Amino acid sequence: FTVLFFIKRTKLLRNGESPIYCRVTVNGLRTEFSTKRSVLAENWSKEKGYAKGGSRYKEINRFLDHIKFRLHDSQTFLEETGRNVTAQNLVKAYLGQLDDEKFIIDIYNSHNENLKKMIGNGVAELTFIRHETSKNHLKRFIELKYKETDIPIADINQAFVKDYEVYLRSERKCNNNTTVKYLKNFKKIINIGIANGWVKRDPFLGVKYRIEDTEKVFLTPDELSRIESKEIEIERVQQVKDIFLFCCYTGLAFVDIKNLQPEDISVGVDGKKWIVKKRQKSQQKFSIPLMEKAAKIITRYKENPYCSKNGVLLPVLSNQKMNAYLKEVADLCGVKKNLTTHSARHTFATTVTLANGVSME
């Protein structure tokens, strides 16, 4: 942070004097403003950045010192109020033109708090979790790139968006589709800024992202049989294997299995047990016959402490832990595929149903 005073020799005033300007530079970026003072060119010391001569010029120098002092006060003010210390903000603060700026992480926090209040009433819990993850990625990027905990939303431009994309792909090791999802979540917050007039120019203008088609992983009958017949001595891995198989037999999404409760099991008109529930994601009602293999897994965990305490049928870990332990399951069972809770869902749709004559409908 530096302050430099200089005169504009080519911009002479009517009295023949040159106007004195102040240049503020922060981290290589600078801005200028007029001090409303002027001197004759021969009465200006370029090396010292001050006027030289009689008492009038000493008064000008005292005023310039006052400007420098006020600018340092402005720096302290910006730091204490959590604002971004930029050359532009320092000059705005000095001139009394600093708006009540809106900061991107503050806006994101407010957005997510509103989402949290609406969980179960038009908003799925996973939607809130995704936005929390997106916000945390954005916050870490700002801390790494700008050495700040937050920046004004008005400062975000296309260069910021591009740098953030590079950060997600390189530092966070996100694949294309995950990167695009995080950027689209970020764009929603930018749109809030545009709608409220906090952002003058859309940093995403003309920027397009494309979701790539990915190969859907599912188990063959032989691979599913290998996992079914494998007894695993490590309790946590055996537990994850059972939850995975339950998903293969029912096609339920991870969040729906995690929240599965005893009251979700009912007897249908055919006299057999069915899972009747609303999908967490879409709130659409579904009915799935509870096959014998799936029913046995529920029975196995009937006395499980976690299930008893939380009123659920299965002791489901977090999705991240499930997917991590499924790599162990695949290794132990000799399955050379990337098993996830979602691949179990695809297995239900193909190997368990379509291959046995059950239509997709």
Side-chain angles (χ1 to χ4, degrees):
F1 168 39
T2 60
V3 178
L4 172 70
F5 297 104
F6 65 98
I7 61 171
K8 291 195 174 181
R9 298 174 186 270
T10 58
K11 196 176 179 181
L12 293 179
L13 303 177
R14 288 183 180 179
N15 61 2
E17 293 184 338
S18 300
I20 303 173
Y21 275 73
C22 177
R23 177 180 295 152
V24 179
T25 306
V26 178
N27 295 329
L29 300 177
R30 67 191 190 186
T31 190
E32 303 169 354
F33 65 95
S34 172
T35 66
K36 308 298 183 184
R37 299 291 188 274
S38 62
V39 296
L40 291 170
E42 58 265 28
N43 290 112
W44 181 257
S45 173
K46 184 179 179 181
E47 293 74 21
K48 294 182 179 180
Y50 279 110
K52 57 184 180 181
S55 59
R56 175 177 174 260
Y57 294 117
K58 289 180 181 178
E59 180 62 33
I60 288 176
N61 289 340
R62 280 195 290 270
F63 180 71
L64 298 183
D65 283 335
H66 179 67
I67 291 177
K68 186 179 288 188
F69 179 79
R70 288 269 307 278
L71 285 167
H72 281 281
D73 270 354
S74 298
Q75 179 192 23
T76 303
F77 170 75
L78 292 175
E79 290 172 346
E80 288 179 347
T81 55
R83 297 171 188 262
N84 203 23
V85 181
T86 64
Q88 190 175 29
N89 280 350
L90 281 169
V91 173
K92 282 183 178 180
Y94 165 74
L95 297 174
Q97 299 172 350
L98 196 63
D99 300 326
D100 184 17
E101 291 181 304
K102 300 297 181 180
F103 285 70
I104 185 66
I105 300 301
D106 279 345
I107 299 169
Y108 219 144
N109 281 330
S110 178
H111 170 269
N112 288 4
E113 284 170 11
N114 288 334
L115 281 183
K116 191 173 184 180
K117 292 174 184 176
M118 294 188 289
I119 291 176
N121 188 20
V123 174
E125 185 178 5
L126 280 178
T127 301
F128 165 72
I129 292 172
R130 287 192 195 101
H131 273 285
E132 275 290 285
T133 304
S134 293
K135 180 201 73 178
N136 290 335
H137 282 321
L138 182 64
K139 190 171 186 290
R140 283 193 286 268
F141 167 70
I142 290 171
E143 290 170 350
L144 182 69
K145 176 79 174 177
Y146 299 93
K147 304 297 186 288
E148 301 283 349
T149 56
D150 206 350
I151 63 172
I153 191 171
D155 290 353
I156 293 173
N157 52 26
Q158 282 197 343
F160 179 100
V161 173
K162 185 61 183 176
D163 289 343
Y164 182 43
E165 179 186 352
V166 172
Y167 167 79
L168 290 172
R169 294 182 187 274
S170 59
E171 296 292 328
R172 304 308 305 175
K173 308 297 182 186
C174 297
N175 62 31
N176 177 75
N177 290 359
T178 303
T179 298
V180 171
K181 287 175 184 177
Y182 285 139
L183 289 170
K184 285 184 175 180
N185 286 342
F186 175 41
K187 188 176 181 180
K188 289 178 183 177
I189 308 305
I190 293 297
N191 287 342
I192 292 174
I194 294 171
N196 285 279
W198 304 328
V199 178
K200 302 304 179 186
R201 180 176 173 81
D202 182 5
F204 283 91
L205 189 65
V207 179
K208 294 183 179 180
Y209 299 104
R210 185 173 63 87
I211 295 289
E212 296 175 349
D213 292 331
T214 56
E215 184 181 354
K216 293 178 172 60
V217 177
F218 62 90
L219 298 176
T220 64
D222 175 65
E223 290 168 333
L224 181 59
S225 178
R226 265 188 276 163
I227 294 177
E228 285 175 337
S229 59
K230 181 70 175 180
E231 286 297 326
I232 301 174
E233 294 181 0
I234 305 171
E235 185 179 350
R236 62 173 172 80
V237 181
Q238 175 66 34
Q239 180 178 306
V240 167
K241 187 200 87 167
D242 286 339
I243 306 301
F244 177 78
L245 288 174
F246 186 86
C247 188
C248 289
Y249 302 142
T250 61
L252 289 179
F254 168 79
V255 68
D256 295 320
I257 290 181
K258 188 175 179 67
N259 298 326
L260 195 63
Q261 300 174 334
E263 53 264 35
D264 296 324
I265 307 296
S266 59
V267 178
V269 293
D270 58 356
K272 296 179 180 179
K273 289 184 178 180
W274 287 67
I275 300 173
V276 181
K277 186 176 171 64
K278 282 186 178 180
R279 279 209 68 190
Q280 180 80 19
K281 183 176 181 179
S282 62
Q283 292 300 303
Q284 287 186 326
K285 188 177 179 180
F286 64 82
S287 300
I288 299 173
L290 185 64
M291 290 188 281
E292 185 181 350
K293 290 179 178 180
K296 284 182 178 179
I297 291 174
I298 289 178
T299 303
R300 189 174 302 155
Y301 293 97
K302 194 173 183 180
E303 305 298 328
N304 183 276
Y306 175 88
C307 295
S308 301
K309 180 182 178 182
N310 295 281
V312 293
L313 292 174
L314 297 168
V316 183
L317 302 174
S318 69
N319 199 28
Q320 290 83 356
K321 286 185 178 179
M322 280 283 295
N323 289 335
Y325 293 156
L326 279 172
K327 295 183 189 302
E328 293 185 49
V329 173
D331 289 340
L332 290 169
C333 299
V335 175
K336 306 297 182 182
K337 290 179 179 176
N338 181 32
L339 298 188
T340 64
T341 53
H342 208 62
S343 62
R345 200 160 146 73
H346 290 306
T347 300
F348 171 79
T350 53
T351 304
V352 175
T353 52
L354 287 177
N356 289 292
V358 180
S359 70
M360 184 63 77
E361 288 74 19

